[in-house]
């Protein structure tokens, strides 16, 4: 298991409020670390909601779920991995521009083994332009911000 949580890609095209961009980078790093810690402790990724898209490896991180509380009584759970008080709007995890964070790279199945996992914010323009192919090359597109959560063989 490669421990790469928190590697946030620089985005030369990111424009807008520098404070929001820095907040998004900090949140990406914290959420990446929480996702990876949950995976290491429990052997599973937290429950995620598949995004309504043709890309099967794209999910939305809609709420803290098992990152904040052990609602499923998972063996090995040592959280909370996130502070449930920091999640606005009834538990939705939103970036500074009001969009949900997107998780790329989880294959089907509860363990999600064998894949690089990325967490992405759509950035200041609120349009998600990054694809799994972009991330495989180590790039985020447009003003999107991305964080490598885990790179698994």
């Amino acid at each position: 298991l490669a421990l790469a949580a928190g590697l946030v890609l620089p985005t030369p095209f990111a424009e807008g409020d520098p404070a929001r961009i820095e907040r998004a980078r900090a949140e990406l790093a914290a959420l990446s670390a929480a996702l990876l810690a949950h995976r290491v402790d429990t052997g599973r990724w937290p429950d995620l909601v598949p995004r309504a898209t043709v890309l099967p490896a794209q999910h939305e991180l809609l709420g803290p779920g098992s990152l904040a509380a052990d609602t499923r009584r998972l063996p090995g759970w040592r959280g909370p991995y996130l502070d449930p008080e920091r999640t606005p709007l009834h538990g939705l995890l939103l970036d500074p521009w009001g969009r949900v964070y997107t998780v790329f790279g989880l294959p089907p199945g509860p363990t999600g083994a064998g894949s690089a996992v990325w967490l992405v914010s759509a950035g200041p323009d609120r349009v998600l332009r990054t694809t799994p192919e972009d991330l495989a090359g180590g790039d985020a597109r447009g003003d999107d911000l991305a964080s490598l959560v885990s790179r698994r063989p």
Side-chain angles (χ1 to χ4, degrees):
L1 178 66
L3 299 179
L7 172 67
V8 178
L9 293 178
T11 52
F13 302 109
E15 297 177 10
D17 183 355
R20 283 188 187 189
I21 293 169
E22 285 307 309
R23 184 176 127 209
R25 287 184 176 141
E27 287 180 2
L28 282 166
L31 288 169
S32 294
L35 286 166
L36 184 59
H38 185 284
R39 172 72 170 90
V40 169
D41 289 352
T42 67
R44 306 173 57 97
W45 292 104
D47 294 333
L48 301 171
V49 176
R51 190 174 180 130
T53 178
V54 296
L55 299 172
Q58 188 175 353
H59 296 77
E60 289 184 340
L61 186 60
L62 290 180
S66 59
L67 290 173
D70 188 15
T71 57
R72 296 184 53 206
R73 305 287 183 239
L74 295 172
W77 191 89
R78 293 186 185 104
Y81 303 97
L82 285 181
D83 178 2
E85 298 298 317
R86 81 150 235 25
T87 58
L89 299 177
H90 310 290
L92 292 177
L93 295 174
L94 302 176
D95 71 11
W97 301 278
R99 294 285 312 261
V100 294
Y101 288 98
T102 301
V103 179
F104 282 102
L106 289 180
T111 62
S115 178
V117 177
W118 292 84
L119 186 62
V120 180
S121 162
D125 72 0
R126 297 178 176 92
V127 177
L128 185 65
R129 300 180 193 286
T130 301
T131 67
E133 292 78 23
D134 297 324
L135 295 171
D139 295 319
R141 186 174 287 178
D143 66 358
D144 295 356
L145 301 163
S147 175
L148 177 63
V149 177
S150 173
R151 184 175 309 278
R152 297 185 48 85

